[in-house]
Amino acid sequence: MKNTNWPWKTIIEPFKIKMVEPLGITSREERLKLLEQAHYNLFNIKAEKVLIDMLTDSGTGAMSAEQWAGIMRGDESYAGARSYYNFERAIKDLTGLEEIIPVHQGRAAEKILFTALNGKGKYVISNSHFDTTRANVESSGAIAMDFPAKGALDFDKPADFKGDADVRAMEAFVKEKGRKNVIMCVMTVTNNSLGGQPVSMANLKAVQNLCRKYSIPLFLDCARFAENAYFIKLREKGYNKTPVKEIAEEMFELADGAMMSSKKDALVNMGGFLAMNDKDLSLKCRQLLILTEGFSTYGGLSGRDLEAIAIGLKEVLDEDYLQYRIRSSQYLGEGLLKHGIPIVNPPGGHGVYINARKFLPHIKPVNFPGQALVCRLYLEGGIRAVEIGTLMFGKRDAKGGFLPAPMELVRMAMPRRVYTQSHIDYVIEVLAHLAKNREKIGGLEAVEAPLVLSHFTAKLKPMAEEKTAVQPGGRKIWKR
Ligand code: F0G
């Protein structure tokens, strides 16, 4: 692990580019048509029609030369592959956990874990569940409860650790429901649903105390553990000289288990794992793994994937990389703030979240201000982002109608090692243009929306003309 104490103001990408891919350049006319065909759902747009893809930081990163070399070395044996043992060693070394179960991605770990826990009618508590985590908890019959820190929803006011859990509220809940009815606590590091904000070590320790007191297993959803650890180094007292690897190890020491979507901080395009010390639970998980993913030394992955994860888990702890990584999100966040665009402040680790409710106050939550901004960003700039608001998290009424979510955000996620500063300057320029013309952006209506994970497949349309809240003199956005 390097720690160069970079003395310059300009933080540079600590890599050079060996392979390039063209971007999808399209005209505004073409994008207007594509949006209509996609039913105003950007998950339905072909990636080759996207210029800058900020839909997600998941599985979209660039691997290193070392990882590609690992791909060539991958051992594809069905059982006991060398690559599995490299993978297992890397995870044990990082987490200190004993039972290492490979899965093809994070949600497979969630599905297996919550099925094995079999907690029908019981509760899982968290700082905030990610959407697939919540869906898997709920599909197992358990109930997912979020306890974000006070102030996490005060998006304008910066704070160092807005990803923390409200431990007092958690404890009151455990007391109210009885500890036997709370089957697990999941701490999501960083807290993706609330702005990619980090969780402090102090908070993790307080949560661990609570979990010990009431005998509740504590698991980390550690998709972005390295970014979280780096934030601890930057912001938490006593850690500024500690190597990030040691901070990460200290985080894992507090937990009884972990699940990871390796598509984030393992710097790969596919993969994940479940890790724990509880042998009985791991046996149940392995049985489910064999049923749905594959044998326990590959779990839905190729040997080459396991090899690349083993390398990525070490590379991600390079502090020059993390410095560049966190600075890139900050750079985008600062650029947007300069143009008066409200964001979740400070910027998160893996991206910047625009507060669409504040940016487009004329659009009601049930008309999806976040999704309206996402569509407009694509129309004007070919940029793809994702809504985290009523479309993703809105509860539904008896007729399937949407009820407003607590927030309306648009996440501009940063793929790892993919875009350069000029790409981000372009994104800032397009958003600055939208900010100047924001009152012309109209809302959307749902045409078709399944009840579970609806944002992936929902079909939408622009609000009917008479209902569209356009300021006097404003122009409808969707038609020319
Ligand atoms: N947990 C967190 C915190 C996540 O961010 C994700 C995925 C998952 C679990 C599920 O992992 O996709 O490998 O099955 N997040 C992606 C995103 C999809 O765009 O934030 P997965």
Short mmCIF file of all heavy atoms in Angstrom, two decimals, residues 43 54-59 103-110 128-133 136 186-193 221-224 259-264 269-272 350 353 386 388 392 411 413 455-456, ligand 1:
data_model
loop_
_atom_site.label_atom_id
_atom_site.label_comp_id
_atom_site.label_asym_id
_atom_site.label_seq_id
_atom_site.Cartn_x
_atom_site.Cartn_y
_atom_site.Cartn_z
N PHE A 43 -33.34 2.54 -17.86
CA PHE A 43 -32.86 1.15 -17.87
C PHE A 43 -33.16 0.49 -19.22
O PHE A 43 -32.58 -0.54 -19.56
CB PHE A 43 -33.52 0.33 -16.74
CG PHE A 43 -32.95 0.63 -15.38
CD1 PHE A 43 -33.59 1.50 -14.52
CD2 PHE A 43 -31.76 0.05 -14.96
CE1 PHE A 43 -33.07 1.78 -13.26
CE2 PHE A 43 -31.22 0.32 -13.71
CZ PHE A 43 -31.87 1.19 -12.86
N MET A 54 -23.64 7.26 -15.97
CA MET A 54 -23.49 7.39 -14.52
C MET A 54 -24.65 6.69 -13.82
O MET A 54 -25.02 7.02 -12.70
CB MET A 54 -23.40 8.87 -14.14
CG MET A 54 -22.27 9.55 -14.87
SD MET A 54 -22.09 11.28 -14.44
CE MET A 54 -21.05 11.15 -13.00
N LEU A 55 -25.21 5.70 -14.53
CA LEU A 55 -26.33 4.94 -13.96
C LEU A 55 -25.88 4.26 -12.67
O LEU A 55 -26.61 4.20 -11.70
CB LEU A 55 -26.76 3.88 -14.98
CG LEU A 55 -27.96 3.03 -14.62
CD1 LEU A 55 -29.24 3.85 -14.62
CD2 LEU A 55 -28.10 1.86 -15.60
N THR A 56 -24.69 3.72 -12.70
CA THR A 56 -24.22 3.00 -11.52
C THR A 56 -22.70 2.90 -11.52
O THR A 56 -22.05 3.01 -12.57
CB THR A 56 -24.82 1.58 -11.47
OG1 THR A 56 -24.29 0.89 -10.34
CG2 THR A 56 -24.52 0.77 -12.71
N ASP A 57 -22.17 2.69 -10.33
CA ASP A 57 -20.74 2.39 -10.18
C ASP A 57 -20.57 0.89 -10.01
O ASP A 57 -19.51 0.43 -9.60
CB ASP A 57 -20.19 3.11 -8.93
CG ASP A 57 -20.85 2.59 -7.66
OD1 ASP A 57 -22.07 2.37 -7.66
OD2 ASP A 57 -20.14 2.37 -6.65
N SER A 58 -21.61 0.13 -10.30
CA SER A 58 -21.60 -1.30 -10.00
C SER A 58 -21.24 -2.12 -11.23
O SER A 58 -22.01 -2.16 -12.21
CB SER A 58 -22.99 -1.72 -9.51
OG SER A 58 -23.01 -3.08 -9.23
N GLY A 59 -20.07 -2.74 -11.19
CA GLY A 59 -19.67 -3.59 -12.32
C GLY A 59 -19.25 -2.81 -13.54
O GLY A 59 -19.06 -3.38 -14.61
N VAL A 103 -20.48 -15.79 -4.39
CA VAL A 103 -21.78 -15.69 -5.08
C VAL A 103 -21.59 -14.83 -6.32
O VAL A 103 -20.60 -14.12 -6.43
CB VAL A 103 -22.88 -15.05 -4.18
CG1 VAL A 103 -23.27 -15.95 -3.03
CG2 VAL A 103 -22.43 -13.68 -3.67
N HIS A 104 -22.58 -14.90 -7.22
CA HIS A 104 -22.34 -14.19 -8.49
C HIS A 104 -22.50 -12.68 -8.35
O HIS A 104 -21.96 -11.92 -9.13
CB HIS A 104 -23.21 -14.77 -9.62
CG HIS A 104 -24.61 -14.25 -9.64
ND1 HIS A 104 -25.63 -14.78 -8.88
CD2 HIS A 104 -25.16 -13.21 -10.31
CE1 HIS A 104 -26.74 -14.11 -9.11
NE2 HIS A 104 -26.49 -13.15 -9.96
N GLN A 105 -23.29 -12.21 -7.38
CA GLN A 105 -23.33 -10.77 -7.09
C GLN A 105 -24.01 -10.55 -5.74
O GLN A 105 -24.47 -11.51 -5.11
CB GLN A 105 -24.00 -9.98 -8.21
CG GLN A 105 -25.46 -10.26 -8.48
CD GLN A 105 -25.99 -9.40 -9.63
OE1 GLN A 105 -25.99 -9.81 -10.76
NE2 GLN A 105 -26.46 -8.20 -9.33
N GLY A 106 -24.07 -9.29 -5.32
CA GLY A 106 -24.52 -9.00 -3.96
C GLY A 106 -25.90 -9.53 -3.62
O GLY A 106 -26.12 -10.07 -2.53
N ARG A 107 -26.83 -9.40 -4.54
CA ARG A 107 -28.20 -9.78 -4.20
C ARG A 107 -28.34 -11.29 -4.03
O ARG A 107 -29.26 -11.75 -3.36
CB ARG A 107 -29.20 -9.21 -5.20
CG ARG A 107 -29.13 -9.75 -6.57
CD ARG A 107 -29.80 -8.83 -7.56
NE ARG A 107 -29.01 -7.61 -7.77
CZ ARG A 107 -29.38 -6.61 -8.55
NH1 ARG A 107 -30.54 -6.65 -9.18
NH2 ARG A 107 -28.61 -5.56 -8.72
N ALA A 108 -27.43 -12.05 -4.63
CA ALA A 108 -27.45 -13.51 -4.42
C ALA A 108 -27.05 -13.79 -2.97
O ALA A 108 -27.63 -14.66 -2.31
CB ALA A 108 -26.50 -14.19 -5.39
N ALA A 109 -26.09 -13.04 -2.46
CA ALA A 109 -25.69 -13.18 -1.05
C ALA A 109 -26.88 -12.85 -0.16
O ALA A 109 -27.17 -13.55 0.83
CB ALA A 109 -24.51 -12.26 -0.75
N GLU A 110 -27.60 -11.77 -0.50
CA GLU A 110 -28.76 -11.36 0.30
C GLU A 110 -29.84 -12.44 0.29
O GLU A 110 -30.39 -12.81 1.33
CB GLU A 110 -29.35 -10.07 -0.27
CG GLU A 110 -28.42 -8.87 -0.17
CD GLU A 110 -28.79 -7.75 -1.14
OE1 GLU A 110 -29.76 -7.90 -1.93
OE2 GLU A 110 -28.09 -6.72 -1.12
N SER A 128 -29.44 1.89 6.71
CA SER A 128 -30.38 1.95 5.57
C SER A 128 -30.13 0.72 4.71
O SER A 128 -28.99 0.47 4.32
CB SER A 128 -30.13 3.17 4.68
OG SER A 128 -30.43 4.35 5.34
N HIS A 129 -31.18 0.00 4.42
CA HIS A 129 -31.05 -1.13 3.49
C HIS A 129 -30.94 -0.59 2.08
O HIS A 129 -31.66 0.33 1.70
CB HIS A 129 -32.29 -2.01 3.54
CG HIS A 129 -32.51 -2.73 4.83
ND1 HIS A 129 -33.08 -2.15 5.92
CD2 HIS A 129 -32.22 -4.01 5.19
CE1 HIS A 129 -33.15 -3.04 6.91
NE2 HIS A 129 -32.62 -4.17 6.50
N PHE A 130 -30.07 -1.17 1.28
CA PHE A 130 -30.11 -0.88 -0.15
C PHE A 130 -31.38 -1.53 -0.72
O PHE A 130 -31.95 -2.42 -0.09
CB PHE A 130 -28.84 -1.42 -0.84
CG PHE A 130 -28.84 -1.13 -2.31
CD1 PHE A 130 -28.81 0.18 -2.77
CD2 PHE A 130 -28.93 -2.16 -3.25
CE1 PHE A 130 -28.85 0.45 -4.13
CE2 PHE A 130 -28.97 -1.88 -4.61
CZ PHE A 130 -28.93 -0.59 -5.05
N ASP A 131 -31.82 -1.11 -1.92
CA ASP A 131 -33.13 -1.58 -2.41
C ASP A 131 -33.21 -3.10 -2.58
O ASP A 131 -34.20 -3.71 -2.21
CB ASP A 131 -33.58 -0.84 -3.68
CG ASP A 131 -32.65 -0.97 -4.85
OD1 ASP A 131 -31.55 -1.51 -4.68
OD2 ASP A 131 -33.01 -0.52 -5.95
N THR A 132 -32.13 -3.72 -3.10
CA THR A 132 -32.20 -5.19 -3.27
C THR A 132 -32.13 -5.89 -1.92
O THR A 132 -32.71 -6.96 -1.75
CB THR A 132 -31.04 -5.72 -4.15
OG1 THR A 132 -29.79 -5.37 -3.55
CG2 THR A 132 -31.09 -5.16 -5.56
N THR A 133 -31.43 -5.28 -0.97
CA THR A 133 -31.34 -5.88 0.37
C THR A 133 -32.73 -5.87 1.00
O THR A 133 -33.21 -6.88 1.52
CB THR A 133 -30.35 -5.08 1.26
OG1 THR A 133 -29.28 -4.61 0.46
CG2 THR A 133 -29.83 -5.93 2.39
N ASN A 136 -34.93 -8.42 -0.65
CA ASN A 136 -34.65 -9.80 -0.25
C ASN A 136 -35.05 -10.08 1.18
O ASN A 136 -35.51 -11.18 1.49
CB ASN A 136 -33.16 -10.12 -0.48
CG ASN A 136 -32.93 -10.56 -1.91
OD1 ASN A 136 -33.56 -11.51 -2.38
ND2 ASN A 136 -32.05 -9.87 -2.62
N VAL A 186 -27.88 -4.98 9.82
CA VAL A 186 -27.01 -4.83 8.64
C VAL A 186 -26.55 -3.38 8.57
O VAL A 186 -27.38 -2.47 8.49
CB VAL A 186 -27.78 -5.17 7.35
CG1 VAL A 186 -26.92 -4.90 6.12
CG2 VAL A 186 -28.24 -6.63 7.34
N MET A 187 -25.24 -3.17 8.63
CA MET A 187 -24.73 -1.81 8.45
C MET A 187 -24.19 -1.70 7.02
O MET A 187 -23.29 -2.44 6.62
CB MET A 187 -23.64 -1.51 9.47
CG MET A 187 -24.18 -1.30 10.87
SD MET A 187 -25.27 0.16 11.02
CE MET A 187 -24.07 1.48 10.99
N THR A 188 -24.76 -0.76 6.27
CA THR A 188 -24.37 -0.58 4.87
C THR A 188 -23.27 0.48 4.80
O THR A 188 -23.52 1.64 5.16
CB THR A 188 -25.60 -0.16 4.04
OG1 THR A 188 -26.68 -1.04 4.33
CG2 THR A 188 -25.31 -0.20 2.56
N VAL A 189 -22.08 0.05 4.39
CA VAL A 189 -20.94 0.98 4.33
C VAL A 189 -20.43 1.05 2.89
O VAL A 189 -20.12 0.03 2.34
CB VAL A 189 -19.81 0.54 5.29
CG1 VAL A 189 -20.23 0.60 6.73
CG2 VAL A 189 -19.33 -0.88 4.98
N THR A 190 -20.39 2.23 2.33
CA THR A 190 -21.06 3.46 2.71
C THR A 190 -22.58 3.33 2.51
O THR A 190 -23.01 2.36 1.89
CB THR A 190 -20.58 4.63 1.82
OG1 THR A 190 -20.83 4.26 0.43
CG2 THR A 190 -19.07 4.84 1.94
N ASN A 191 -23.31 4.29 2.99
CA ASN A 191 -24.77 4.20 2.95
C ASN A 191 -25.27 4.68 1.58
O ASN A 191 -25.47 5.86 1.34
CB ASN A 191 -25.33 5.08 4.08
CG ASN A 191 -26.82 4.89 4.26
OD1 ASN A 191 -27.52 4.44 3.36
ND2 ASN A 191 -27.31 5.24 5.43
N ASN A 192 -25.49 3.70 0.69
CA ASN A 192 -25.82 4.01 -0.70
C ASN A 192 -27.15 4.75 -0.84
O ASN A 192 -27.24 5.73 -1.59
CB ASN A 192 -25.85 2.69 -1.49
CG ASN A 192 -26.00 2.89 -2.98
OD1 ASN A 192 -25.93 4.00 -3.48
ND2 ASN A 192 -26.18 1.81 -3.69
N SER A 193 -28.17 4.29 -0.12
CA SER A 193 -29.50 4.88 -0.34
C SER A 193 -29.59 6.33 0.13
O SER A 193 -30.45 7.07 -0.32
CB SER A 193 -30.56 4.07 0.41
OG SER A 193 -30.46 2.74 0.04
N ASP A 221 -22.83 -4.77 5.09
CA ASP A 221 -23.01 -4.79 3.64
C ASP A 221 -21.85 -3.93 3.13
O ASP A 221 -21.91 -2.71 3.13
CB ASP A 221 -24.38 -4.19 3.27
CG ASP A 221 -24.58 -4.11 1.77
OD1 ASP A 221 -23.59 -4.28 1.02
OD2 ASP A 221 -25.72 -3.86 1.33
N CYS A 222 -20.77 -4.62 2.72
CA CYS A 222 -19.49 -3.93 2.58
C CYS A 222 -19.12 -3.66 1.12
O CYS A 222 -17.94 -3.62 0.78
CB CYS A 222 -18.40 -4.74 3.26
SG CYS A 222 -18.17 -6.36 2.53
N ALA A 223 -20.14 -3.44 0.27
CA ALA A 223 -19.89 -3.18 -1.15
C ALA A 223 -18.84 -2.08 -1.34
O ALA A 223 -18.02 -2.15 -2.24
CB ALA A 223 -21.20 -2.80 -1.84
N ARG A 224 -18.86 -1.07 -0.46
CA ARG A 224 -17.95 0.08 -0.64
C ARG A 224 -17.11 0.29 0.63
O ARG A 224 -16.96 1.40 1.12
CB ARG A 224 -18.77 1.32 -1.01
CG ARG A 224 -19.57 1.11 -2.31
CD ARG A 224 -20.41 2.30 -2.71
NE ARG A 224 -21.16 2.02 -3.94
CZ ARG A 224 -22.35 1.44 -4.02
NH1 ARG A 224 -22.98 1.05 -2.92
NH2 ARG A 224 -22.92 1.23 -5.20
N MET A 259 -21.50 -9.21 3.73
CA MET A 259 -21.89 -9.60 2.37
C MET A 259 -21.41 -8.49 1.46
O MET A 259 -21.43 -7.32 1.81
CB MET A 259 -23.40 -9.81 2.25
CG MET A 259 -24.23 -8.70 2.80
SD MET A 259 -25.95 -9.19 2.82
CE MET A 259 -26.62 -8.03 3.98
N MET A 260 -20.94 -8.92 0.31
CA MET A 260 -20.37 -7.91 -0.58
C MET A 260 -20.82 -8.12 -2.01
O MET A 260 -20.75 -9.22 -2.55
CB MET A 260 -18.85 -7.95 -0.55
CG MET A 260 -18.25 -6.88 -1.45
SD MET A 260 -16.45 -6.82 -1.44
CE MET A 260 -16.18 -5.22 -2.20
N SER A 261 -21.24 -7.03 -2.62
CA SER A 261 -21.32 -6.97 -4.07
C SER A 261 -19.93 -6.53 -4.51
O SER A 261 -19.57 -5.37 -4.37
CB SER A 261 -22.38 -5.96 -4.51
OG SER A 261 -22.19 -5.69 -5.88
N SER A 262 -19.15 -7.47 -5.03
CA SER A 262 -17.76 -7.16 -5.40
C SER A 262 -17.66 -6.27 -6.63
O SER A 262 -16.58 -5.87 -7.03
CB SER A 262 -16.99 -8.46 -5.62
OG SER A 262 -17.09 -9.26 -4.49
N LYS A 263 -18.82 -5.99 -7.23
CA LYS A 263 -18.86 -5.15 -8.42
C LYS A 263 -18.51 -3.69 -8.10
O LYS A 263 -18.41 -2.87 -8.99
CB LYS A 263 -20.26 -5.23 -9.03
CG LYS A 263 -20.63 -6.64 -9.43
CD LYS A 263 -22.11 -6.80 -9.75
CE LYS A 263 -22.43 -6.17 -11.09
NZ LYS A 263 -23.83 -6.48 -11.51
N LYS A 264 -18.36 -3.40 -6.83
CA LYS A 264 -17.99 -2.04 -6.42
C LYS A 264 -16.53 -2.05 -6.00
O LYS A 264 -15.64 -1.98 -6.84
CB LYS A 264 -18.89 -1.55 -5.29
CG LYS A 264 -20.31 -1.19 -5.73
CD LYS A 264 -21.23 -2.36 -5.79
CE LYS A 264 -22.67 -1.96 -6.01
NZ LYS A 264 -23.53 -3.13 -6.23
N ASN A 269 -16.16 -6.62 -12.65
CA ASN A 269 -17.43 -6.43 -13.34
C ASN A 269 -18.52 -7.38 -12.84
O ASN A 269 -19.69 -7.16 -13.10
CB ASN A 269 -17.22 -6.58 -14.85
CG ASN A 269 -16.13 -5.65 -15.36
OD1 ASN A 269 -15.09 -6.09 -15.80
ND2 ASN A 269 -16.34 -4.36 -15.21
N MET A 270 -18.14 -8.42 -12.16
CA MET A 270 -19.14 -9.35 -11.63
C MET A 270 -18.58 -10.10 -10.42
O MET A 270 -17.38 -10.40 -10.39
CB MET A 270 -19.53 -10.35 -12.74
CG MET A 270 -20.73 -11.21 -12.42
SD MET A 270 -22.20 -10.31 -11.86
CE MET A 270 -22.75 -9.52 -13.36
N GLY A 271 -19.44 -10.36 -9.45
CA GLY A 271 -19.01 -11.18 -8.32
C GLY A 271 -19.49 -10.67 -6.98
O GLY A 271 -20.03 -9.56 -6.87
N GLY A 272 -19.33 -11.52 -5.98
CA GLY A 272 -19.72 -11.13 -4.63
C GLY A 272 -19.37 -12.24 -3.66
O GLY A 272 -18.86 -13.29 -4.07
N HIS A 350 -19.10 7.28 -3.90
CA HIS A 350 -19.19 6.74 -5.25
C HIS A 350 -20.01 7.61 -6.19
O HIS A 350 -20.36 7.19 -7.27
CB HIS A 350 -19.74 5.32 -5.22
CG HIS A 350 -21.16 5.22 -4.70
ND1 HIS A 350 -21.50 5.50 -3.40
CD2 HIS A 350 -22.31 4.85 -5.30
CE1 HIS A 350 -22.80 5.31 -3.24
NE2 HIS A 350 -23.30 4.92 -4.39
N TYR A 353 -25.27 13.02 -5.33
CA TYR A 353 -26.71 12.84 -5.37
C TYR A 353 -27.36 14.23 -5.42
O TYR A 353 -27.18 15.04 -4.51
CB TYR A 353 -27.19 12.11 -4.11
CG TYR A 353 -26.74 10.66 -3.99
CD1 TYR A 353 -25.41 10.29 -4.09
CD2 TYR A 353 -27.68 9.66 -3.75
CE1 TYR A 353 -25.01 8.98 -3.96
CE2 TYR A 353 -27.30 8.33 -3.61
CZ TYR A 353 -25.97 8.00 -3.72
OH TYR A 353 -25.58 6.69 -3.58
N VAL A 386 -29.49 7.80 -12.26
CA VAL A 386 -30.59 6.98 -11.73
C VAL A 386 -31.37 7.74 -10.65
O VAL A 386 -30.78 8.47 -9.86
CB VAL A 386 -30.07 5.62 -11.20
CG1 VAL A 386 -29.30 5.75 -9.90
CG2 VAL A 386 -31.21 4.63 -11.00
N ILE A 388 -33.38 8.00 -7.24
CA ILE A 388 -33.57 7.32 -5.95
C ILE A 388 -34.63 8.13 -5.24
O ILE A 388 -34.33 9.08 -4.53
CB ILE A 388 -32.24 7.27 -5.15
CG1 ILE A 388 -31.17 6.54 -5.97
CG2 ILE A 388 -32.47 6.61 -3.78
CD1 ILE A 388 -29.87 6.30 -5.24
N MET A 392 -38.31 4.56 -7.07
CA MET A 392 -37.56 3.44 -6.51
C MET A 392 -38.11 3.00 -5.16
O MET A 392 -38.23 1.82 -4.88
CB MET A 392 -36.07 3.83 -6.36
CG MET A 392 -35.18 2.67 -5.96
SD MET A 392 -33.46 3.16 -5.70
CE MET A 392 -32.77 3.00 -7.33
N ARG A 411 -28.98 10.11 -8.52
CA ARG A 411 -27.59 9.73 -8.26
C ARG A 411 -26.76 9.79 -9.53
O ARG A 411 -27.10 9.17 -10.53
CB ARG A 411 -27.53 8.32 -7.69
CG ARG A 411 -26.12 7.91 -7.30
CD ARG A 411 -26.04 6.49 -6.80
NE ARG A 411 -26.26 5.53 -7.88
CZ ARG A 411 -26.16 4.21 -7.72
NH1 ARG A 411 -25.94 3.70 -6.53
NH2 ARG A 411 -26.36 3.41 -8.75
N ALA A 413 -23.63 8.44 -10.41
CA ALA A 413 -22.63 7.50 -9.89
C ALA A 413 -21.36 7.55 -10.75
O ALA A 413 -21.44 7.76 -11.96
CB ALA A 413 -23.19 6.09 -9.89
N HIS A 455 -38.67 0.33 -10.28
CA HIS A 455 -37.92 1.29 -11.10
C HIS A 455 -37.20 0.63 -12.27
O HIS A 455 -36.93 1.29 -13.27
CB HIS A 455 -36.93 2.06 -10.23
CG HIS A 455 -35.99 1.18 -9.47
ND1 HIS A 455 -36.39 0.44 -8.39
CD2 HIS A 455 -34.68 0.92 -9.64
CE1 HIS A 455 -35.35 -0.24 -7.92
NE2 HIS A 455 -34.30 0.03 -8.66
N PHE A 456 -36.90 -0.67 -12.16
CA PHE A 456 -36.17 -1.32 -13.25
C PHE A 456 -37.04 -1.45 -14.50
O PHE A 456 -36.53 -1.40 -15.61
CB PHE A 456 -35.69 -2.72 -12.83
CG PHE A 456 -34.54 -2.69 -11.85
CD1 PHE A 456 -34.65 -3.31 -10.62
CD2 PHE A 456 -33.35 -2.07 -12.17
CE1 PHE A 456 -33.60 -3.30 -9.71
CE2 PHE A 456 -32.29 -2.06 -11.27
CZ PHE A 456 -32.42 -2.67 -10.04
N1 F0G B 1 -25.72 -3.56 -1.34
C1 F0G B 1 -25.40 -2.33 -1.74
C2 F0G B 1 -25.00 -1.30 -0.75
C3 F0G B 1 -25.46 -2.02 -3.10
O1 F0G B 1 -25.16 -0.79 -3.49
C4 F0G B 1 -25.85 -3.03 -4.03
C5 F0G B 1 -25.93 -2.74 -5.44
C6 F0G B 1 -26.16 -4.30 -3.54
C7 F0G B 1 -26.07 -4.53 -2.18
C8 F0G B 1 -26.57 -5.40 -4.46
O2 F0G B 1 -25.49 -5.86 -5.20
O3 F0G B 1 -26.02 -5.36 -7.59
O4 F0G B 1 -24.23 -6.96 -6.95
O5 F0G B 1 -26.59 -7.56 -6.64
N2 F0G B 1 -25.92 -1.60 -5.90
C9 F0G B 1 -25.95 -1.23 -7.30
C10 F0G B 1 -26.05 0.26 -7.41
C11 F0G B 1 -26.94 -1.96 -8.14
O6 F0G B 1 -26.25 0.75 -8.53
O7 F0G B 1 -25.90 0.97 -6.40
P1 F0G B 1 -25.60 -6.45 -6.68
#
